[in-house]
Amino acid sequence: MAGKLRTVYFYTGIEVDDNEQSHDWSYSDWSNYIAGFGNESQTLSVHSDKCTGEVKTNPVPAATYFHLMRERSLSDWPEGKDNNGEIGNLGEKRNVLGLREIYEYSYLLPGEGTSYVAMFRSSGGPRPGLIEDWIAAQSNMPEQGKSFKLAPVLRKNAAKRLSEAVGVKTITARFEGEIRPDSGSKIQDAAFQAGSMPGVNEYANRKVEIVISLGRSIKEGPGLDTLMDETEKMLTDAAGGTISRGLTKLVATTLQRRGDTIVSEPVDFIKERMTVSTAFGESINDVMTPNEILGGMYEAIREFRQRTGEYSY
């Protein structure tokens, strides 16, 4: 019986220096970060989330990986059933069970010989934005005027279609949770303003969706260039696939030249990022130990390598 299918995501690490110049992290950069981390775990508070990071070594499969854990607040602990069949909140029974904290987690495993890092996370594990800021803070990047980003790897076809487009006439963008202000994108800044309204900003899972359309029949005009520019700003770097913080949906109706004709062609950039679904463990009831997680991640990396013609740089 095969294990449950789970998704492994692929990212490129990008360090932005004090001159706003981007530098991709190579495999050696990831290896140096992991090697220099030290043997002790480190706990930092990022955006009110208390996260603990550590570098771990696993014997089988052999791997050295980065492990980031987000502490779940006591009010968010799940329920469970004990040996007597009684159901109760684990937080209420934590002393009896010997539990002090519960963590949601993310694993980062560099792909040897590539500039990509594989990420696997639990359902509530640290998302890319939180991981970016944690790594930046732990590396003292803000003090040096630097920042760090995880760029989802886009399929070549998506990046190519945007770069070759005559313009963009419709954008549908959805933002969830934390939205970074002053992004340079007017659409993202508008989403930030909407999500910051009193009362609305109290909900961590809030969503803001914005649709801008110039009309179905539009084929020319300065608005097409403006919306294309906005799409690129939200992607930040279409060639590398850097998707802005909190952006969970981005669909652009592009205009493409086909001979003497201009045709409309939608591009869904979130769906076009590179992921690999693979079975973890031998059964859907297997506990997700490091052995099971890393085994699944290695299998995903092997498949990812075989698809090198599909993704960006």
Side-chain angles (χ1 to χ4, degrees), residues 38-243:
N39 297 323
E40 301 295 326
S41 64
Q42 299 183 42
T43 301
L44 300 172
S45 291
V46 180
H47 306 305
S48 75
D49 280 307
K50 192 175 181 182
C51 297
T52 299
E54 60 182 2
V55 166
K56 301 281 286 183
T57 299
N58 195 70
V60 181
T64 301
Y65 61 97
F66 178 64
H67 183 214
L68 186 64
M69 299 160 284
R70 182 180 68 82
E71 184 178 329
R72 292 184 70 166
S73 60
L74 194 59
S75 61
D76 196 32
W77 281 33
E79 295 182 338
K81 181 187 290 186
D82 63 20
N83 291 330
N84 298 319
E86 294 184 8
I87 297 174
N89 189 280
L90 295 185
E92 190 178 33
K93 300 175 178 288
R94 64 189 184 281
N95 292 329
V96 175
L97 296 170
L99 289 173
R100 190 177 67 180
E101 294 167 346
I102 287 181
Y103 292 114
E104 299 278 7
Y105 58 84
S106 291
Y107 280 54
L108 291 181
L109 181 63
E112 186 174 358
T114 77
S115 59
Y116 306 112
V117 62
M119 185 188 82
F120 176 79
R121 55 187 291 273
S122 61
S123 58
R127 294 180 178 273
L130 187 59
I131 298 172
E132 293 169 351
D133 290 342
W134 198 95
I135 290 177
Q138 190 272 333
S139 303
N140 298 314
M141 289 185 186
E143 288 80 356
Q144 304 169 51
K146 299 179 179 180
S147 61
F148 184 73
K149 296 184 293 186
L150 286 174
V153 181
L154 284 183
R155 296 180 188 274
K156 278 184 176 178
N157 193 36
K160 184 172 182 287
R161 279 185 286 170
L162 181 62
S163 65
E164 292 180 348
V166 176
V168 170
K169 67 176 183 179
T170 302
I171 295 176
T172 302
R174 182 175 64 228
F175 297 85
E176 299 184 28
E178 180 196 358
I179 305 172
R180 182 171 60 86
D182 304 320
S183 65
S185 163
K186 294 185 182 299
I187 293 176
Q188 183 168 329
D189 291 347
F192 169 78
Q193 292 294 330
S196 299
M197 290 188 294
V200 175
N201 59 7
E202 297 177 7
Y203 296 87
N205 294 323
R206 61 189 180 277
K207 300 179 183 179
V208 178
E209 185 158 312
I210 295 177
V211 179
I212 298 179
S213 176
L214 303 179
R216 296 182 63 183
S217 61
I218 297 297
K219 294 293 174 68
E220 59 183 18
L224 299 173
D225 296 331
T226 299
L227 292 192
M228 186 164 176
D229 184 54
E230 279 293 313
T231 305
E232 291 174 342
K233 285 178 178 177
M234 282 186 284
L235 287 172
T236 305
D237 180 359
T242 309
I243 297 176

